[in-house]
Amino acid sequence: MMTLYGYFRSSTSYRTRIAMNLKGLDYDYISVNLAKDEQLADAFKSLNPQGLVPVLQTDDLLLYQSPAILEWLEEVHPKPAIA
Ligand SMILES: N[C@@H](CCC(=O)N[C@@H](CS)C(=O)NCC(=O)O)C(=O)O
């Protein structure tokens, strides 16, 4: 199972969400409210010390930086291709 941490007004989050939805992937979504600085909370920074969304958590991986997430998605779930 995958969990995407993001925020609705974050373009880097929705580019990730768009790719996952296009690929028809099943995932949980957790909102990190940037307007309330939730990205700076210790609980979130233990996932991503950079304090930025998006973060993608899989059973054995923790990924951040949306280009890296997109690259991983494309490699592991190539169909349909996004690039
Ligand atoms: N290069 C990163 C940028 C991530 C980024 O800047 N995320 C913004 C939202 S679009 C963020 O979390 N901002 C919180 C902050 O600056 O405290 C990526 O593509 O994932």
Side-chain angles (χ1 to χ4, degrees):
M1 189 58 188
M2 293 189 284
T3 304
L4 178 66
Y5 295 78
Y7 186 54
F8 77 103
R9 287 176 63 186
S10 152
S11 57
T12 53
S13 297
Y14 64 70
R15 93 166 34 134
T16 308
R17 205 166 57 241
I18 288 168
M20 295 179 76
N21 291 343
L22 277 173
K23 288 177 178 296
L25 301 175
D26 191 24
Y27 62 95
D28 290 329
Y29 181 76
I30 294 182
S31 175
V32 179
N33 191 334
L34 302 186
K36 293 186 177 169
D37 282 341
E38 288 178 359
Q39 78 281 16
L40 303 179
D42 288 345
F44 183 74
K45 282 189 130 184
S46 69
L47 289 177
N48 181 0
Q50 295 175 341
L52 299 171
V53 291
V55 171
L56 182 67
Q57 188 168 33
T58 72
D59 289 336
D60 48 9
L61 273 180
L62 201 49
L63 291 164
Y64 37 88
Q65 290 292 335
S66 58
I69 296 173
L70 295 180
E71 199 173 321
W72 181 84
L73 285 170
E74 194 68 352
E75 192 150 328
V76 177
H77 303 282
K79 302 271 172 158
I82 53 170

